């Protein structure tokens, strides 16, 4: 009798791929945090220079927001790999990607502003539309797995 390995279903493979993407991104948060600085909106960033506060949501510095989002991505990546937590983790990833939209819109607005550069315009023009398929992909993982 030949040994037959069970074939993972499509949702498991999709969750593993999303997990790999999130782990790669989380690692980049700590290796190159400055890459993520433009997508953290100013209204979320605490002003440590003694100037005017940026608002009631400005509780962390830009660097702290990047680190926290990296930790959230790493945690969600692990959650996607565990079948018992996959649906909840996928819902959290969907919300996380949706929340990131504000940062991407803000970064795009700044890229086309007076301080923007052609490179920043190109980067942020490409990054913003990528959020839609990521949100949709994460949302598909919130569905119950249907085996034939």
């Amino acid at each position: 009798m030949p040994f037959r390995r069970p074939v993972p279903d499509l949702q498991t493979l999709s969750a593993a791929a999303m997990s790999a993407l999130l782990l790669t991104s989380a690692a980049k948060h700590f290796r190159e945090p400055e890459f993520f600085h433009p997508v953290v909106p100013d209204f979320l960033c605490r002003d440590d220079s003694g100037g005017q506060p940026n608002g009631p949501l400005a509780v962390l510095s830009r660097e702290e927001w990047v680190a926290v989002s990296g930790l959230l991505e790493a945690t969600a990546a692990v959650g996607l790999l565990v079948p018992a937590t996959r649906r909840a983790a996928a819902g959290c990833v969907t919300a996380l990607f949706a929340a990131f939209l504000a940062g991407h819109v803000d970064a795009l607005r700044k890229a086309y502003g007076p301080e923007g550069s052609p490179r920043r315009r190109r980067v942020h023009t490409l990054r913003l539309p990528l959020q839609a398929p990521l949100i949709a992909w994460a949302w598909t993982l919130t569905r119950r797995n249907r085996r034939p």
Side-chain angles (χ1 to χ4, degrees):
M1 172 193 259
F3 177 71
R4 295 188 106 169
R5 214 170 60 174
V7 177
D9 60 62
L10 186 59
Q11 188 181 50
T12 300
L13 291 173
S14 182
M18 170 78 62
S19 179
L21 178 80
L22 286 167
L23 285 172
T24 301
S25 177
K28 188 172 179 92
H29 276 75
F30 297 101
R31 273 194 331 269
E32 296 179 56
E34 61 282 347
F35 178 79
F36 297 95
H37 286 182
V39 294
V40 180
D42 292 338
F43 69 86
L44 287 178
C45 299
R46 183 181 66 230
D47 181 10
D48 290 335
S49 68
Q52 293 287 358
N54 290 338
L57 298 176
V59 295
L60 299 175
S61 69
R62 190 170 310 278
E63 294 76 17
E64 290 167 339
W65 279 114
V66 170
V68 165
S69 63
L71 287 172
L72 289 173
E73 286 183 356
T75 303
V78 172
L80 288 173
L81 294 176
V82 179
T85 60
R86 181 171 299 147
R87 290 181 67 209
C92 291
V93 172
T94 303
L96 193 63
F97 285 156
F100 289 168
L101 279 172
H104 288 286
V105 169
D106 189 55
L108 186 63
R109 181 186 60 79
K110 287 179 185 174
Y112 280 91
E115 310 236 347
S117 66
R119 182 180 184 287
R120 287 178 66 192
R121 286 184 199 100
R122 192 171 43 255
V123 166
H124 295 298
T125 298
L126 292 172
R127 278 176 95 174
L128 177 62
L130 285 176
Q131 291 305 111
L134 288 172
I135 292 168
W137 182 14
W139 181 251
T140 65
L141 296 173
T142 65
R143 302 292 185 241
R144 287 215 185 276
N145 191 12
R146 293 187 180 99
R147 290 198 157 220

